[in-house]
Amino acid sequence: MTSRGLDQQSQGQVRSFGVPVSARPTVSLPVSAPCRWGGCAAPANRVPGSLPRSEIRPIETLGVEALADGPRWLRPCNAGADVDLSAHQSPGPGVDRLNTSIMLGRTLREVSAALKHGQITPTELCQKCLSLIKKTKFLNAYITVSEEVALKQAEESEKRYKQGQSLGDLDGIPVAVKDNFSTSGIETTCASNMLKGYIPPYNATVVQKLLDQGALLMGKTNLDEFAMGSGSTDGVFGAVKNPWSYSKQHREKRPLKPCGDGDGDEDSSWLIAGGSSGGSAAAVAALTCFAALGSDTGGSTRNPAAHCGLVGFKPSYGLVSRHGLIPLVNSMDVPGILTRCVDDTAIVLGILAGHDPKDSTTVQDPVKPFVLPNLTDVSKLCIGIPKEYLVPELSGEVRSLWSQAADLFESQGAKVIEVSLPHTLYSIVCYHVLCTSEVASNMARFDGLQYGHRSAISVSTEAMYAATRREGFNDVVRGRILSGNFFLLKENYENYFIKAQKVRRLIVNDFLNVFNSGVDVLLTPTTLSEAVPYAEFIKEDNRTRSAQDDIFTQAVNMAGLPAVSIPVALSKQGLPVGLQLIGRAFCDQQLLTIAKWFEKQVQFPIIQLQEFMDDYSSVLDNQKLTSVSLQQ
Amino acid sequence: MAAPILRRGFPGGRWALVWIHGGCRHRNGAPTGPTLGSTRGRSSVAQQSLQTAQKPRKGEHKWETVVGLEVHAQISSNSKLFSGSKVCFAAPPNSLVSFFDASLPGTLPVLNRRCVEAAVMTGLALNCRINKKSLFDRKHYFYADLPAGYQITQQRLPIAAQGSLKYSICTGQRRSQMVTKTVRIKQIQLEQDSGKSLHDDLRCQTLVDLNRAGVGLLEVVLEPDLCCGEEAATVVRELQLILQALGASQANMAEGQLRVDANISVHHPGEPLGVRTEVKNLNSIRFLAKAIDYEIQRQISELENGGEILNETRSFDHKLGCTVPMRDKEGEQDYRFMPEPNLPPLVLYDTSCLPAGADPQQVINIDRIRDSLPELPSVTRDRLVGEYGMLPEHSFVLLNEVGLLEFFQNVMKETRAEPKKVTNWVLNTFLGYLKQQNLAVSESPVTPSALAELLNLLDRKVISSSAAKQVFGELCKAEGKTATQIVSEQRLELMQDREELERLCHATMDEHPQVVMDMKGGNPRAINKLIGLVRRASLSRADPTVIKEILERKLSP
């Protein structure tokens, strides 16, 4: 590829990812042109232009034979879909009302319809979810389960349904909230000793909006301490386990360990959920709720969504209120949404979005709930593939899926072009300076005086401050505070903070240039690879991990753009892989509309946890996990 | 800028030691704070040595003094700068604290429109350039009454800058000459007030009251254009009058609504500026003047005795009448300023750039504020001079005494007496009485109406001016009697009956033949004596001019 400008008019920039469809203008790129990002030797990859026509048809039209030779990323999803799609069919009048466990695997929209039709009551649904939360307690997805609150809310919701006064799509729907959103009367810890026992007196705006719609708050989900991490492994309540570790899909495909390692090995082979909203992702993935709030500062919603096979959405900065979200980096934080499908995300976003007088950074324009249209024609779309996102660390499988996704768009008529975001390279280091600086500032309020942990050391106020903060924060938080304060020192401010702000501006401009050149959305990987085992993950420290894992997601936060991770397929190991779509600022609906189309094409399978859950206790006995108090 | 004063946990004795070894305190002081000895700290030491390297030159040169002020004015507003909590002086502790004020995690600031308007008004009144875009910053320091660990202020781009303030001081031997001077305003910034810490040394505890935490402040930073306590006091008084006229602040120093920090240094003319000290939290104009003058003298004698001035913060001990070092700022404090990410830039408009269809609740129009500015003190004084022909210095006194102008104007409304006479009575008799009794105008036992009535009696020549003084004295007793009642009860009216007056003159002349003789003999002073005698005989009720006229007629050949 030449490194010409991003001018869309320049046909030479337009990359071909597949056989040109006759209906659209012929792409003039020489077929022999080396393809930097896609031209690698991954098995499933191919020379541009060599893709058989049949592969690009929507998945539901594919026969089994076609699948056998089809791209690897299509196969497992269809296999899964075969089993579970039955549950996706709209429940007819003859649906067994008692078989509520089937309900749990459904989407928010489906279960909402079931509630409206009286096929299940909010209380039944709530109890079912609570029971599953208990059964999956070993996942460590929840820090606090607000059982009483949820049951009371369910009761009220049930009354409303009986009186025909449902509040809307979310009435009676179990949801979970990351434990860095303030919840009135419910402990909010940020997975930190500092806030253990802290019970906020108010609800975050997004929490209040969910409750106002009748949603049932099942509990507060686990995270990395103060959302600083990418694995949900660094919280004071322990790591979150990825539900896919226990899925049929993964168990059948994971590499076999040598015999004799026994149960101990079984225990340590579990995978991380991603982070920092890993608890929220695990909660939705394990079917214990239908939507969850995460927060996203550098990818904290999209990363665990990708690892847990969910839709993870980061709205445009300013679209959704941050009031009540305990901040990590105020200028990049946004509440994120984790659901099992794009339509569900749209429902939740429709409720959360809009101006909040309590958050001056929210946009003034009114936002109404919306329904995503079914996109049938993508031929007017222009999909950008940022060449800088092809990094050596990217796993072959993800790269291959990325490539095929681009082909999919192109084969359906979209224009797919390679674009350049030249300052991506500096994003992580720039983020490090800005993030730690804001962290140093935001964490200054935790001094043990007003709320939260206070050290017993009381020689002097200063000594009390120091001891409180040493005891209250983990090494990751303290490390970031230390770096941040260093960058903010008078003598360093110009060299670090100001420079980082300038780089941030360049990164923002990169995106602006690309979008101004006519690109509608960018297609990128979400993560470098599928979820890795915990034992492997913790070999690197938090800082290294965060820097690596945020690589595709974090520049988006710098620019305040909307982005969504869509699960596209299962890897060789039967683990979810997500791809990311990045949209123009405040074009969140357009982004989700495209994501919905994409989601429909890839038909990602539902996690096969149910059959295995039916026999949960025995599985757990085998794993010697009975210490996890399921009886509770 | 409101800097933290860390006092607790370090008994004074220990700190005193540090002062003795002041030269190395920057290195010693560092470990407890994140701020290591900074370049600024060192450069100030270098400056010191430059100062002290020179041999004391007692009397060789005059000293020049440089005084700069930072004034914090609490904005008069129903609610705080970034939260909806009420603002009220002397409310029960911690009764006016919102979640934001207590810095509960997840809370966000929302800017109070009223505070912005007050800042714009003040900026306009002080001839500042109003910045159509201004920014908020976080200034970090740990202190118990600063719950967020930072104060939101406007360090980089304040709401107003580059203004000026005119003030007049009396000079000359009899202090009768008014000289008008100008002090430049560097900037005006919006910022949060802190809470209050009450240190209970006995029980070794600190009590924190957050009622004041987050109240809006205007920080007015003046350029170091002043040279003495009196100038500083005059400037602060003028600023106080302006703020009160605008309604931007009640600016009551006793209630802490106006607090002043003064930066002071001395140097020889033609030489670089000296090391400055900062005297903080001066909460009365009198103490401000005293503290500055004391500090100037202290610095001069320190330098003349071969000592050196440390770049330090001091406080004024009003009981001892001197400034003392404060224990603060572990070494050089680094506030680690950072842009406040939760507040977008504050954008103001004027009529020329007002966005079409903008919600009036969401925009602030500088021109509209300018048009609705009230009369400023300097204009009021000019008006008084022009309208009533009073001396400029009298107009200053009228404005400087709280409530006196209003009192004067109310008297003027109800009396036909000459403005000059009213001015005299208000400034001399009335104000003199208040000063003597140590009363404020609002505490005066004499109402404007009562004084007006008295002045009317005087003006209509119902009573003499000496009788008027007597009536005023009675009015001050506040027994509920009107001037007219007092006059009639004590029979103080001037004798209007000409025949009776003539009889009185006649009788007096008969009683004092010697005086009559003197007068006839050409002694000009004799007639005054005679007038006095007649007045005494009339119990001061006779008009001396009438007596004089009668006497002269009677004695004329």
Side-chain angles (χ1 to χ4, degrees):
Chain A
M1 289 299 298
T2 55
S3 55
R4 268 187 267 167
L6 290 164
D7 182 4
Q8 204 214 334
Q9 310 309 319
S10 162
Q11 289 286 300
Q13 279 297 107
V14 179
R15 287 220 43 247
S16 167
F17 291 96
V19 172
V21 175
S22 54
R24 65 197 154 90
T26 311
V27 174
S28 65
L29 183 78
V31 168
S32 58
C35 139
R36 206 191 137 217
W37 77 273
C40 329
N45 203 14
R46 54 196 160 60
V47 180
S50 69
L51 185 69
R53 189 70 197 268
S54 61
E55 284 188 15
I56 53 163
R57 279 156 45 202
I59 194 72
E60 53 266 37
T61 65
L62 289 178
V64 177
E65 291 80 10
L67 273 174
D69 293 316
R72 196 176 52 232
W73 67 289
L74 294 177
R75 265 183 279 126
C77 61
N78 207 35
D82 275 345
V83 178
D84 287 291
L85 270 178
S86 59
H88 275 268
Q89 307 306 316
S90 54
V95 163
D96 181 6
R97 273 185 41 81
L98 293 177
N99 190 5
T100 47
S101 58
I102 288 177
M103 287 287 177
L104 295 185
R106 297 194 177 172
T107 66
L108 192 159
R109 174 157 297 211
E110 285 162 351
V111 84
S112 181
L115 284 167
K116 279 174 196 157
H117 293 125
Q119 290 158 333
I120 187 169
T121 68
T123 307
E124 284 169 340
L125 192 59
C126 184
Q127 279 166 340
K128 204 72 202 171
C129 286
L130 285 169
S131 128
L132 196 50
I133 288 172
K134 284 173 193 163
K135 279 185 189 166
T136 57
K137 191 171 179 189
F138 66 95
L139 293 176
N140 212 5
Y142 289 84
I143 290 174
T144 305
V145 180
S146 46
E147 179 166 354
E148 277 179 37
V149 174
L151 284 170
K152 193 159 173 283
Q153 288 164 340
E155 203 179 300
E156 283 161 17
S157 170
E158 196 152 334
K159 269 187 221 157
R160 287 191 294 269
Y161 273 109
K162 274 184 186 152
Q163 292 163 358
Q165 291 171 338
S166 148
L167 294 170
D169 287 340
L170 281 188
D171 203 346
I173 302 288
V175 298
V177 171
K178 189 176 180 180
D179 208 22
N180 58 351
F181 287 94
S182 294
T183 43
S184 180
I186 300 171
E187 190 180 355
T188 299
T189 67
C190 287
S192 174
N193 272 327
M194 188 56 94
L195 283 179
K196 259 188 195 170
Y198 167 65
I199 298 177
Y202 75 101
N203 276 325
T205 297
V206 284
V207 171
Q208 192 60 50
K209 283 184 165 184
L210 290 177
L211 297 181
D212 288 346
Q213 293 293 313
L216 317 180
L217 179 59
M218 307 311 288
K220 304 295 293 291
T221 58
N222 204 348
L223 63 156
D224 289 298
E225 183 161 333
F226 283 101
M228 296 181 203
S230 60
S232 298
T233 53
D234 282 328
V236 74
F237 300 103
V240 178
K241 295 176 180 173
N242 191 328
W244 285 85
S245 318
Y246 308 96
S247 70
K248 188 179 163 201
Q249 291 104 319
H250 175 59
R251 289 182 162 255
E252 283 171 353
K253 296 202 169 149
R254 69 180 161 175
L256 289 170
K257 297 275 168 180
C259 299
D261 281 9
D263 300 329
D265 179 62
E266 180 82 43
D267 191 23
S268 67
S269 70
W270 56 269
L271 311 156
I272 58 137
S276 64
S277 311
S280 286
V284 179
L287 314 179
T288 64
C289 62
F290 292 85
L293 292 182
S295 62
D296 195 314
T297 309
S300 278
T301 294
R302 290 159 285 159
N303 174 294
H307 286 329
C308 293
L310 298 172
V311 174
F313 179 60
K314 175 221 170 284
S316 296
Y317 184 86
L319 186 67
V320 178
S321 169
R322 292 180 294 114
H323 173 251
L325 167 61
I326 297 175
L328 174 58
V329 185
N330 303 280
S331 63
M332 299 185 207
D333 290 341
V334 284
I337 300 167
L338 292 133
T339 59
R340 295 202 269 276
C341 71
V342 176
D343 270 330
D344 290 358
T345 290
I347 291 174
V348 178
L349 179 66
I351 281 153
L352 301 186
H355 177 64
D356 179 7
K358 291 179 183 140
D359 178 358
S360 307
T361 61
T362 51
V363 286
Q364 297 279 340
D365 315 322
V367 181
K368 284 182 193 152
F370 56 91
V371 175
L372 293 177
N374 278 313
L375 203 60
T376 50
D377 177 16
V378 292
S379 66
K380 291 196 177 67
L381 288 182
C382 181
I383 312 293
I385 310 291
K387 62 178 183 186
E388 288 80 6
Y389 281 48
L390 183 75
V391 292
E393 298 85 359
L394 185 62
S395 82
E397 271 189 294
V398 176
R399 185 166 51 201
S400 159
L401 285 164
W402 181 20
S403 167
Q404 290 166 51
D407 290 347
L408 174 70
F409 272 102
E410 185 161 66
S411 67
Q412 295 298 301
K415 186 162 149 191
V416 179
I417 63 171
E418 184 182 270
V419 297
S420 174
L421 301 168
H423 297 95
T424 303
L425 176 64
Y426 310 105
S427 186
I428 290 292
V429 63
C430 167
Y431 176 79
H432 180 71
V433 174
L434 296 177
C435 169
T436 56
S437 298
E438 284 198 36
V439 163
S441 174
N442 287 330
M443 295 295 151
R445 69 187 56 209
F446 299 104
D447 55 12
L449 283 182
Q450 317 281 337
Y451 43 76
H453 176 71
R454 186 193 291 185
S455 172
I457 292 171
S458 58
V459 196
S460 72
T461 311
E462 290 78 5
M464 190 275 282
Y465 284 161
T468 295
R469 291 163 68 79
R470 188 177 57 245
E471 293 161 15
F473 295 136
N474 69 5
D475 287 352
V476 177
V477 178
R478 287 213 309 277
R480 291 201 193 182
I481 292 173
L482 195 64
S483 321
N485 277 323
F486 174 80
F487 297 137
L488 290 177
L489 284 179
K490 197 185 278 175
E491 71 222 54
N492 295 333
Y493 187 74
E494 198 75 26
N495 281 336
Y496 291 94
F497 193 84
I498 295 287
K499 253 186 202 158
Q501 279 191 314
K502 288 177 180 170
V503 174
R504 181 177 184 175
R505 172 66 64 194
L506 292 173
I507 290 166
V508 173
N509 288 344
D510 278 358
F511 283 108
L512 280 178
N513 291 337
V514 166
F515 286 122
N516 286 340
S517 76
V519 168
D520 294 300
V521 291
L522 296 169
L523 174 67
T524 78
T526 310
T527 54
L528 290 165
S529 69
E530 76 273 73
V532 297
Y534 174 75
E536 193 182 314
F537 185 82
I538 56 169
K539 282 177 190 161
E540 302 273 16
D541 66 17
N542 178 294
R543 192 176 141 194
T544 314
R545 273 291 177 195
S546 299
Q548 282 172 359
D549 296 343
D550 287 349
I551 188 160
F552 302 126
T553 47
Q554 178 270 310
V556 165
N557 297 75
M558 295 264 202
L561 304 173
V564 60
S565 177
I566 303 292
V568 292
L570 295 181
S571 69
K572 271 184 286 187
Q573 290 195 47
L575 291 174
V577 173
L579 291 178
Q580 175 177 239
L581 291 170
I582 303 169
R584 290 190 179 99
F586 297 105
C587 293
D588 299 57
Q589 288 191 33
Q590 185 202 24
L591 174 69
L592 287 179
T593 305
I594 298 167
K596 182 179 170 179
W597 177 88
F598 183 54
E599 173 189 55
K600 195 177 170 196
Q601 308 306 307
V602 298
Q603 289 289 320
F604 182 78
I606 278 189
I607 188 169
Q608 288 183 283
L609 224 43
Q610 270 155 298
E611 52 185 308
F612 147 79
M613 277 175 174
D614 290 340
D615 199 14
Y616 236 130
S617 49
S618 63
V619 171
L620 292 174
D621 282 342
N622 290 341
Q623 295 186 347
K624 296 200 173 163
L625 276 172
T626 37
S627 59
V628 179
S629 52
L630 292 173
Q631 285 73 32
Q632 200 181 337
Chain B
M1 274 164 256
I5 318 297
L6 298 167
R7 279 160 291 187
R8 276 157 311 126
F10 287 84
R14 187 175 151 194
W15 189 239
L17 262 182
V18 180
W19 287 113
I20 291 163
H21 305 292
C24 54
R25 84 197 225 291
H26 290 289
R27 263 154 291 156
N28 282 348
T32 47
T35 55
L36 305 167
S38 75
T39 43
R40 206 178 128 193
R42 261 175 261 127
S43 75
S44 67
V45 172
Q47 256 183 303
Q48 285 160 19
S49 55
L50 200 146
Q51 280 274 345
T52 50
Q54 296 154 355
K55 281 181 182 169
R57 297 175 291 183
K58 213 166 190 171
E60 203 175 304
H61 276 300
K62 274 186 154 183
W63 290 95
E64 259 178 26
T65 54
V66 177
V67 177
L69 302 177
E70 288 173 8
V71 182
H72 291 91
Q74 221 174 63
I75 298 170
S76 170
S77 164
N78 292 331
S79 58
K80 296 186 180 178
L81 181 56
F82 295 120
S83 81
S85 304
K86 261 180 72 178
V87 177
C88 178
F89 182 70
N94 295 310
S95 62
L96 308 173
V97 185
S98 70
F99 300 151
F100 175 79
D101 304 329
S103 291
L104 292 197
T107 53
L108 299 169
V110 180
L111 185 57
N112 179 345
R113 180 193 176 93
R114 157 70 193 157
C115 293
V116 177
E117 288 170 339
V120 172
M121 279 197 287
T122 309
L124 292 171
L126 296 178
N127 311 302
C128 288
R129 183 192 73 222
I130 306 294
N131 286 323
K132 285 189 186 161
K133 178 181 159 188
S134 61
L135 303 171
F136 291 94
D137 303 285
R138 290 179 178 180
K139 173 182 176 177
H140 300 88
Y141 60 93
F142 281 106
Y143 202 62
D145 54 27
L146 186 78
Y150 56 82
Q151 173 198 34
I152 303 179
T153 177
Q154 295 194 297
Q155 189 230 6
R156 290 166 301 162
L157 190 51
I159 190 160
Q162 294 175 351
S164 63
L165 172 60
K166 280 199 165 64
Y167 63 100
S168 298
I169 55 167
C170 299
T171 57
Q173 290 217 312
R174 304 187 60 200
R175 308 188 56 78
S176 55
Q177 259 178 296
M178 300 289 288
V179 176
T180 302
K181 293 187 167 186
T182 303
V183 57
R184 289 167 301 151
I185 310 283
K186 184 165 180 255
Q187 64 184 55
I188 300 175
Q189 60 201 46
L190 278 165
E191 63 183 33
Q192 296 173 299
D193 209 341
S194 63
K196 278 182 190 163
S197 295
L198 303 162
H199 306 288
D200 181 349
D201 291 335
L202 218 61
R203 265 167 277 184
C204 249
Q205 63 181 7
T206 298
L207 303 171
V208 178
D209 178 7
L210 294 181
N211 281 352
R212 203 182 65 178
V215 170
L217 290 181
L218 291 174
E219 176 170 329
V220 182
V221 184
L222 307 184
E223 297 283 5
D225 295 342
L226 310 174
C227 70
C228 65
E230 191 196 355
E231 278 192 5
T234 312
V235 163
V236 169
R237 180 66 190 128
E238 186 66 13
L239 184 56
Q240 192 179 29
L241 287 174
I242 290 171
L243 291 169
Q244 287 165 343
L246 295 170
S249 169
Q250 289 170 309
N252 181 340
M253 292 189 89
E255 291 184 6
Q257 287 151 349
L258 197 72
R259 309 190 284 275
V260 184
D261 302 338
N263 290 299
I264 300 141
S265 71
V266 301
H267 65 281
H268 289 296
E271 288 177 8
L273 295 182
V275 176
R276 68 191 170 103
T277 59
E278 187 175 21
V279 184
K280 282 200 156 291
N281 285 324
L282 294 159
N283 55 8
S284 109
I285 289 185
R286 209 155 49 91
F287 294 158
L288 169 73
K290 274 190 174 179
I292 290 171
D293 289 338
Y294 174 87
E295 184 59 19
I296 291 169
Q297 283 313 312
R298 185 191 72 84
Q299 290 190 10
I300 291 174
S301 57
E302 188 75 37
L303 292 171
E304 287 187 343
N305 290 317
E308 60 174 20
I309 304 302
L310 297 175
N311 178 217
E312 65 183 358
T313 305
R314 303 174 71 89
S315 65
F316 182 66
D317 186 324
H318 62 91
K319 283 181 194 132
L320 299 175
C322 65
T323 65
V324 288
M326 281 169 121
R327 184 223 168 261
D328 78 319
K329 301 181 179 179
E330 202 64 46
E332 177 89 1
Q333 181 97 356
D334 190 324
Y335 294 119
R336 290 158 287 130
F337 283 100
M338 188 192 88
E340 166 57 65
N342 294 320
L343 290 166
L346 169 58
V347 178
L348 307 173
Y349 299 91
D350 56 26
T351 307
S352 68
C353 66
L354 201 65
D359 177 1
Q361 281 303 305
Q362 292 293 328
V363 295
I364 286 178
N365 185 339
I366 301 167
D367 290 332
R368 278 187 62 180
I369 293 177
R370 184 184 283 113
D371 293 344
S372 60
L373 282 184
E375 183 179 88
L376 293 175
S378 58
V379 181
T380 310
R381 282 189 288 254
D382 290 348
R383 183 168 56 79
L384 290 171
V385 170
E387 214 171 294
Y388 303 121
M390 71 175 65
L391 294 169
E393 51 263 43
H394 287 169
S395 71
F396 273 93
V397 180
L398 273 184
L399 265 75
N400 280 348
E401 295 298 328
V402 179
L404 193 61
L405 175 64
E406 197 191 353
F407 188 94
F408 170 80
Q409 286 173 327
N410 286 336
V411 174
M412 282 303 295
K413 271 184 219 157
E414 298 186 36
T415 181
R416 262 172 287 160
E418 284 263 301
K420 270 188 182 165
K421 195 152 224 168
V422 178
T423 309
N424 255 328
W425 265 84
V426 168
L427 293 184
N428 297 327
T429 315
F430 176 70
L431 189 59
Y433 168 78
L434 293 181
K435 294 264 161 180
Q436 189 202 338
Q437 301 292 317
N438 203 12
L439 294 174
V441 174
S442 58
E443 296 165 322
S444 159
V446 182
T447 64
S449 309
L451 184 59
E453 188 187 337
L454 174 61
L455 293 178
N456 281 339
L457 292 175
L458 185 65
D459 188 52
R460 295 206 318 269
K461 297 197 188 311
V462 176
I463 52 173
S464 67
S465 61
S466 62
K469 295 256 160 69
Q470 207 179 322
V471 175
F472 182 80
E474 291 296 318
L475 285 174
C476 290
K477 291 179 186 161
E479 286 165 342
K481 289 176 188 159
T482 65
T484 315
Q485 282 171 330
I486 295 166
V487 167
S488 72
E489 274 174 26
Q490 305 198 7
R491 297 178 36 78
L492 295 170
E493 310 93 333
L494 283 176
M495 290 172 67
Q496 304 292 345
D497 189 340
R498 179 110 191 167
E499 276 177 31
E500 203 188 330
L501 264 178
E502 295 223 1
R503 269 200 300 279
L504 207 57
C505 287
H506 200 80
T508 309
M509 285 167 76
D510 287 352
E511 279 171 40
H512 300 279
Q514 188 56 48
V515 185
V516 177
M517 287 295 287
D518 287 352
M519 218 177 95
K520 282 183 175 163
N523 185 346
R525 282 163 67 190
I527 190 160
N528 287 343
K529 186 163 188 187
L530 214 48
I531 293 169
L533 289 167
V534 176
R535 284 201 65 203
R536 199 179 300 158
S538 75
L539 302 167
S540 295
R541 290 160 58 219
D543 186 340
T545 50
V546 182
I547 301 169
K548 190 181 181 194
E549 185 207 316
I550 295 172
L551 287 175
E552 276 171 348
R553 190 162 38 77
K554 283 190 185 292
L555 293 168
S556 61

